[in-house]
Amino acid sequence: QVQLVESGGGLAQPGGSLRLSCAASGLTLDSYAIGWFRQAPGKAREGVSYISRIDDRTHYADSVKGRFTISRDNAKNTVYLQMNSLKPEDTAVYYCAVKNSAYDDNWHIAYGYLYWGQGTQVTVSS
């Protein structure tokens, strides 16, 4: 049974940092591309970041570029999202998802991802 479990969310002040983790069981993450998505109340789910299956190429939404960093630790079967310089508009539920694709096209579109975690809440507020 495949399971993705996000953790690391919580309350942060503007300008602060959080590191989200996505731990997998039932599959080996280094065989998949991984995406991080977020969904704020009343808004559509949006792609935040992505790390490819091959060569660990990374992609970021313009809104987080330069502030967020995605990485993976294959030994721990875990993918991370380091979030720095947080802004109130980063407040959302964050999800990780896996995709079995060698192509990065449409990484930011939720359709095509095979498995999703349950999400972790990130709230940025003073």
Side-chain angles (χ1 to χ4, degrees):
Q1 181 180 356
V2 174
Q3 195 171 17
L4 300 176
V5 179
E6 301 96 336
S7 61
L11 176 64
Q13 291 190 339
S17 298
L18 288 172
R19 188 177 79 157
L20 305 184
S21 299
C22 172
S25 59
L27 58 76
T28 303
L29 283 180
D30 65 2
S31 297
Y32 294 87
I34 313 299
W36 280 99
F37 289 76
R38 68 185 180 187
Q39 188 165 20
K43 294 189 177 182
R45 191 169 296 191
E46 64 169 340
V48 174
S49 185
Y50 174 92
I51 186 164
S52 69
R53 191 184 75 183
I54 300 172
D55 296 333
D56 283 354
R57 293 183 302 272
T58 58
H59 298 278
Y60 299 92
D62 287 344
S63 59
V64 307
K65 203 170 291 183
R67 300 189 297 122
F68 290 10
T69 303
I70 189 171
S71 62
R72 64 164 94 220
D73 184 334
N74 293 332
K76 295 183 177 179
N77 209 27
T78 299
V79 173
Y80 303 98
L81 185 68
Q82 177 68 43
M83 307 187 298
N84 298 329
S85 302
L86 284 164
K87 303 176 180 180
E89 51 264 43
D90 294 319
T91 296
V93 178
Y94 284 70
Y95 302 88
C96 64
V98 300
K99 191 173 188 180
N100 185 15
S101 173
Y103 303 100
D104 299 354
D105 295 358
N106 299 321
W107 68 266
H108 56 290
I109 298 174
Y111 178 80
Y113 284 81
L114 299 173
Y115 302 104
W116 292 79
Q118 82 291 346
T120 186
Q121 176 70 47
V122 170
T123 303
V124 184
S125 175
S126 55

